Amino acid sequence: MRTKITFASLFVMLGAATAAQSQTMELVVPFGAGGGSDTVARVFERGFSAALDRTIVIRNIAGASGTIGAAAVAQASADGNTLGYIPIGPLAIQPSLRDTAYDLDSFDYICQTTSTPVFLLQSAGSDKSEVAEWVTQGADSRVVYGSSGPGTIPHIAMAAFATEADMNSVHLPFDGTGVAMNAMAGGEIDLFVDTATVMESYDVTALAVFSAERLEAYPDIPTMAELGYDLEFSVWQGLVAPTGLDEAQKSALADACSAAVDATAFQELAAQTNTGLMYRGPEDFEAFVRSNAEVNAQILQDAGLTQ
Amino acid sequence: MIDVLMDVFNIWTLSALVLGTTLGILIGAMPGLGSVVGLSICLPFTFGMDVVPSLTLLLGVYCGSVYGGSISAVLVNSPGTPQAAATALDGYPMAQNGEGGLALGWATMASVIGGLISCAVLILAAPQLSRFATSFGSVQVFALIVLALTCIAAVSHGNTAKGLLMGVIGLMLALVGTDPVTGAARFTFGTQFLSAGFDLIAVVIGLFALSEAFWRVATGNKETAKVSGVRLRLPSLRAWKGRVRTLLRSSAIGSFVGALPGTGAATAAFISYAFARQSSPKRDNFGKGEPEGIVAAESSNNAVTGSAMIPTLALGIPGDVVTAILLSALVVQGITPGVRMMSENLELVNAIFVVLILINLVMLVLAFPLVRIFGKLLTVPQHIVTAGIIVFGILGAVTVRGNPMDVVVAVAFGAAGLLFRLTGFPLAPLVIGLVLGPQFEQTLRRGLLLHDGNFFAFFTAGPLAMILFFCAFVAVTAPIIGAIRRRGGKSAPDTNADNRETGGR
């Protein structure tokens, strides 16, 4: 009797949960609610659902650096009812770091929404003022750099720089940017790579930017290329679907995506958070993801991290 | 100052305050739902609100949920969150003795006072403490975690060997998932699901809430506390005599631990409990329903709520998921958190101070009706309570990460928890191991990377680490030396009360 009640209530609950989901479009965000990707995705969703005139539910499936959520998208049916708002990590980095249940062929690429270049940062209290001084220290002894975890862009960009500049380096991975910034303030790490948001939030100064040209907002910060290191890195996000989406549906989604990127709310959020907007259509986005993944795989291999 | 008061004392902020705190207490009191779930539910609603009301709502939910966890911990022995796990150790035995209302009275007073003390610390010492927190490098945090691990002995309830074993199991479970240095998957048996590791919340729900439900089914509800119609009863002033020291010390520990990024309320609660148990004249009564145990756990986990704002507001560094969500609410409001926040948004920061104080006071008022509602709810037949624990537990497990496999984890740990209870293995040490495991490993490995793999360099890494290692050494050796002395003196066989208890529940 007691167990019957228990199980009955359980089934009612699960049944209600599945029935509610079948009507609307589901947008999977592979990180927790309240995180950086989630905040952007929620603002993007407003413009996207308005353009499509559909109800969209955001589903956060977090864990394993976003690969669980990305796998959920890859395994969903390709009826256009499940899409993923996925940043660079799970798409173009993690598949070379670990066994994932998906690869680049598991997705149809709809559009890219953002691209934010990253900066080389040092503590504001540091006695150094240019990249060359760190390169000298790296050649003579070592530099310690932090990251928000192995295989993140802060790690990959710094690892590539250390190789390119022939520095002895030690990589300390932290559980997220915040904790790493605490270590930077305490002098445990020398260098860190991250976006303008991080640069503005913490007591750090930028030495260089990993972009092709100097940024309009930061005209005084040199590019890595100017300093002799041909390195470009950015963090980006985009919209993908399980592979097998029909072409008409794909282009309709891409149009809606383009409208969502142009929406005022999205533009405002981007300005507030120093996020770079970048729309790429289906073909361009796919080509970009594939080449980006290849570059990252090579760096990880050089750093001895690929499996 | 007038501006700040205008910000706080208006209808929007005050209703957000009451609503948020109520919601927080209710969410915290549901076995299975905790601070993170509550905040993620509320976050999207704040997008359309003004900045002070939106932060008030979120802070209310946060503080309320930390306190609310004590209600289910005491009344149904089902702490839904790791931070309330230490509260159940003495709270539930009190409820079993028919003193559930009084146990909650202790928990409420301790929570409010702990919260207020940490507000004071936040207001008076935020810049200094935040700077001090940056001097905690990987080695220093490692030393602190080692000290925290020694509290496993204190919560082992008489069977130290079984407790240590459970602690080791917890540490080993923390290894499953992703290697924090290389990013490779390990101990996953090739499954995609395990590469995310065990979710702490799912494990806690299984181990405490679900296993409690299973235990009730297995024993036919014979041993459950009579808690229907319970009313909150505040302890008399006289009863505080001799317990004030624990209250103050635990609040201080909570305030300090909360200010360190990457630690948290569960760590603070366990450290305080361990300290209280070692130094209290009533130590023999710990684990059997000693109010001082509740005071230690609840004052320190609520003291974390105020001081967690120290790195968050002073440096823009979120110490945990909760403060990260608060920061993202600020970003959406167009405020850049960070080192310059306190100087650039002084009015807002001051409003947050006032709001935090108010939340703690409102909590004291709200506790009475809310506990009463819970008491009413628990008048339903016991098997419905049991079903409720299971339903909310499973709901909680699936909401945290949105991963249905977490339900399987929760149920599996529920079954394991039942086995542990039946065989007298204490559950709390496993949670301590699992909570501290990732930090323990990460700080150890970062320290080794920094010192070229030389572990002995940890002991010469400065006075701070030395002091913490020394404290850990004392914490381990003092009870042993004490036991030897007692045995060496008048050979009273019963003085070591630790060996008499059976542990487990």
Side-chain angles (χ1 to χ4, degrees):
Chain A
M1 161 68 182
R2 195 173 299 121
T3 30
K4 256 187 216 154
I5 292 178
T6 315
F7 282 107
S9 47
L10 223 166
F11 282 123
V12 168
M13 205 180 75
L14 290 176
T18 35
Q21 279 165 8
S22 57
Q23 305 292 321
T24 52
M25 179 191 281
E26 199 172 76
L27 187 61
V28 173
V29 175
F31 291 95
S37 308
D38 180 67
T39 313
V40 180
R42 281 175 197 276
V43 178
F44 171 80
E45 179 269 335
R46 284 193 230 160
F48 190 54
S49 64
L52 284 173
D53 199 19
R54 283 188 73 171
T55 309
I56 300 179
V57 173
I58 290 190
R59 192 164 157 220
N60 299 94
I61 306 180
S65 309
T67 54
I68 307 255
V73 177
Q75 284 150 10
S77 60
D79 52 8
N81 286 331
T82 307
L83 303 180
Y85 191 86
I86 316 263
I88 174 172
L91 272 182
I93 298 173
Q94 292 298 330
S96 18
L97 265 181
R98 59 167 96 207
D99 255 334
T100 46
Y102 59 89
D103 56 24
L104 290 177
D105 296 328
S106 309
F107 301 104
D108 271 359
Y109 298 83
I110 296 169
C111 66
Q112 182 175 344
T113 56
T114 68
S115 174
T116 312
V118 290
F119 295 81
L120 180 64
L121 308 170
Q122 67 171 16
S123 170
S126 168
D127 58 354
K128 300 198 172 40
S129 58
E130 50 187 291
V131 174
E133 295 174 63
W134 288 111
V135 174
T136 314
Q137 179 182 324
D140 295 345
S141 54
R142 67 173 193 185
V143 293
V144 181
Y145 68 96
S147 79
S148 45
T152 53
I153 272 293
H155 175 203
I156 289 181
M158 213 26 244
F161 173 44
T163 311
E164 188 89 6
D166 236 349
M167 292 188 287
N168 299 313
S169 63
V170 176
H171 168 227
L172 294 191
F174 289 84
D175 224 1
T177 306
V179 190
M181 286 297 111
N182 198 51
M184 185 103 135
E188 187 164 273
I189 56 176
D190 301 319
L191 296 172
F192 196 79
V193 169
D194 218 317
T195 59
T197 311
V198 171
M199 176 173 88
E200 295 286 348
S201 306
Y202 300 102
D203 226 359
V204 294
T205 50
L207 296 164
V209 59
F210 290 83
S211 63
E213 284 161 27
R214 291 193 183 206
L215 301 187
E216 233 172 82
Y218 304 100
D220 297 337
I221 300 173
T223 65
M224 286 301 270
E226 288 173 41
L227 302 172
Y229 309 102
D230 191 15
L231 300 165
E232 277 177 45
F233 290 97
S234 64
V235 290
W236 47 263
Q237 299 166 328
L239 203 59
V240 299
T243 194
L245 204 62
D246 94 25
E247 281 304 319
Q249 221 174 5
K250 195 199 268 185
S251 68
L253 288 170
D255 289 345
C257 173
S258 167
V261 172
D262 288 336
T264 323
F266 198 65
Q267 302 267 343
E268 274 173 8
L269 178 88
Q272 265 167 28
T273 57
N274 285 304
T275 303
L277 294 177
M278 163 74 84
Y279 176 80
R280 278 191 172 108
E283 287 85 36
D284 290 348
F285 182 39
E286 175 161 5
F288 170 71
V289 174
R290 288 183 187 278
S291 76
N292 194 249
E294 215 170 287
V295 171
N296 294 335
Q298 186 58 48
I299 296 166
L300 288 171
Q301 198 183 330
D302 293 344
L305 280 173
T306 38
Q307 54 169 10
Chain B
M1 196 63 212
I2 304 283
D3 292 344
V4 174
L5 295 179
M6 294 272 281
D7 278 341
V8 175
F9 290 95
N10 65 58
I11 183 75
W12 297 112
T13 309
L14 290 180
S15 27
L17 184 97
V18 175
L19 187 75
T21 313
T22 311
L23 216 63
I25 296 177
L26 290 176
I27 288 170
M30 298 292 171
L33 307 182
S35 311
V36 176
V37 174
L39 285 170
S40 353
I41 294 171
C42 292
L43 181 66
F45 293 105
T46 67
F47 289 178
M49 295 163 66
D50 278 344
V51 55
V52 175
S54 70
L55 277 179
T56 306
L57 182 77
L58 294 174
L59 286 170
V61 170
Y62 172 37
C63 299
S65 62
V66 173
Y67 160 68
S70 68
I71 298 179
S72 51
V74 168
L75 295 185
V76 282
N77 199 20
S78 300
T81 57
Q83 61 229 29
T87 310
L89 293 173
D90 281 285
Y92 189 65
M94 272 188 83
Q96 278 180 311
N97 300 337
E99 294 182 317
L102 186 62
L104 282 176
W106 283 104
T108 308
M109 286 309 291
S111 296
V112 170
I113 295 172
L116 287 174
I117 288 177
S118 88
C119 283
V121 172
L122 168 67
I123 294 167
L124 298 175
Q128 293 82 351
L129 254 177
S130 69
R131 228 166 295 135
F132 179 59
T134 59
S135 59
F136 268 71
S138 297
V139 172
Q140 286 77 15
V141 176
F142 174 75
L144 181 77
I145 301 286
V146 169
L147 173 62
L149 280 172
T150 62
C151 66
I152 285 179
V155 297
S156 294
H157 285 294
N159 200 321
T160 314
K162 281 180 176 176
L164 289 176
L165 191 63
M166 293 293 277
V168 170
I169 292 174
L171 285 173
M172 284 164 75
L173 289 173
L175 294 177
V176 175
T178 304
D179 184 305
V181 173
T182 67
R186 59 183 186 190
F187 308 116
T188 60
F189 302 97
T191 62
Q192 167 82 12
F193 162 65
L194 278 180
S195 66
F198 289 109
D199 182 59
L200 178 65
I201 305 289
V203 173
V204 168
I205 288 169
L207 215 50
F208 289 102
L210 293 186
S211 86
E212 174 67 23
F214 296 161
W215 172 269
R216 286 170 181 230
V217 174
T219 59
N221 280 321
K222 268 183 223 118
E223 286 195 36
T224 56
K226 299 280 171 285
V227 290
S228 50
V230 72
R231 278 166 189 253
L232 191 71
R233 205 148 54 82
L234 294 183
S236 69
L237 273 180
R238 264 231 323 271
W240 278 104
K241 203 170 164 243
R243 290 177 173 130
V244 175
R245 237 180 47 165
T246 293
L247 175 77
L248 295 179
R249 189 184 41 217
S250 306
S251 303
I253 292 174
S255 300
F256 173 70
V257 170
L260 297 177
T263 47
T267 311
F270 281 122
I271 294 182
S272 301
Y273 187 87
F275 262 103
R277 188 176 187 272
Q278 240 166 45
S279 62
S280 169
K282 306 180 185 69
R283 68 174 79 89
D284 291 349
N285 209 22
F286 269 62
K288 299 173 193 161
E290 167 53 46
E292 202 164 327
I294 302 177
V295 170
E298 277 300 305
S299 59
S300 80
N301 71 20
N302 279 275
V304 167
T305 57
S307 66
M309 298 295 138
I310 291 175
T312 313
L313 294 179
L315 302 174
I317 292 172
D320 54 13
V321 187
V322 169
T323 41
I325 294 179
L326 289 173
L327 282 186
S328 74
L330 281 175
V331 170
V332 170
Q333 296 283 352
I335 292 163
T336 310
V339 274
R340 283 166 283 278
M341 178 161 161
M342 283 186 111
S343 50
E344 284 172 8
N345 296 290
L346 190 63
E347 191 184 321
L348 176 66
V349 173
N350 282 329
I352 291 176
F353 292 162
V354 177
V355 162
L356 273 172
I357 295 173
L358 288 179
I359 287 171
N360 277 292
L361 297 176
V362 166
M363 217 154 71
L364 180 60
V365 179
L366 285 173
F368 287 90
L370 290 177
V371 165
R372 190 116 172 74
I373 292 172
F374 257 82
K376 280 259 168 61
L377 275 179
L378 293 173
T379 52
V380 298
Q382 280 296 320
H383 53 261
I384 295 183
V385 174
T386 307
I389 296 175
I390 292 179
V391 168
F392 280 109
I394 285 174
L395 257 181
V398 78
T399 353
V400 180
R401 298 195 294 195
N403 193 333
M405 281 300 281
D406 282 336
V407 174
V408 178
V409 169
V411 172
F413 275 93
L418 180 63
L419 262 178
F420 290 140
R421 285 173 195 244
L422 290 170
T423 47
F425 281 85
L427 300 175
L430 193 155
V431 175
I432 295 174
L434 194 59
V435 168
L436 299 177
Q439 277 291 318
F440 182 70
E441 185 195 357
Q442 286 178 29
T443 51
L444 172 65
R445 290 182 64 180
R446 281 203 299 266
L448 289 174
L449 281 168
L450 272 174
H451 294 107
D452 298 319
N454 179 8
F455 183 65
F456 292 101
F458 280 39
F459 299 105
T460 53
L464 208 53
M466 280 289 282
I467 293 169
L468 289 165
F469 279 125
F470 181 73
C471 288
F473 178 75
V474 171
V476 170
T477 50
I480 301 174
I481 293 170
I484 292 171
R485 250 200 223 141
R486 266 174 280 169
R487 213 159 288 166
K490 286 180 201 160
S491 58
D494 257 348
T495 37
N496 194 356
D498 282 10
N499 296 327
R500 293 186 310 218
E501 294 169 49
T502 45
R505 278 177 60 83

